[in-house]
C-alpha cells in the first residue's frame, strides 16, 4: 500500500468513525456501541504513515518510584 493510498484510507476510516453513533436510544432501551476498533485502525494507519514519511515513532518514558527510593 502506498503512502497516498494509506492517507486516503485513513480519511475514509475517520469519516466512517465520525458518522457512527456511539449511543442509540429507542423508547426506553439504550444501546452503546464500542468504537475502539475504528480507533485501533486509525492508530495503526497513523503509525504506518509515519514510518513511510520517515518520522520516528513516539516513545513514552514512564518513571516509577517506590517509597524505598
Amino acid at each position: 500500500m502506498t503512502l497516498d493510498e494509506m492517507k486516503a484510507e485513513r480519511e475514509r476510516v475517520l469519516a466512517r468513525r465520525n458518522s457512527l453513533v456511539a449511543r442509540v436510544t429507542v423508547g426506553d432501551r439504550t444501546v452503546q456501541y464500542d468504537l475502539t476498533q475504528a480507533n485501533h485502525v486509525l492508530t495503526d494507519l497513523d503509525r504506518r504513515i509515519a514510518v513511510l514519511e520517515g518520522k520516528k515513532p513516539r516513545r513514552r518514558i514512564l518513571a516509577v518510584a517506590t517509597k524505598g527510593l
Side-chain angles (χ1 to χ4, degrees), residues 21-26 29-33:
V21 178
R23 180 179 290 179
V24 176
T25 303
V26 177
R29 299 182 116 188
T30 301
V31 176
Q32 176 110 11
Y33 293 104

Side-chain angles (χ1 to χ4, degrees), residues 35 55 57:
L35 303 178
K55 297 178 184 174

Side-chain angles (χ1 to χ4, degrees), residues 12-21 35 42:
R12 283 192 292 270
V13 171
L14 186 61
R16 188 176 307 139
R17 187 197 67 178
N18 290 341
S19 69
L20 293 175
V21 178
L35 303 178
L42 283 173

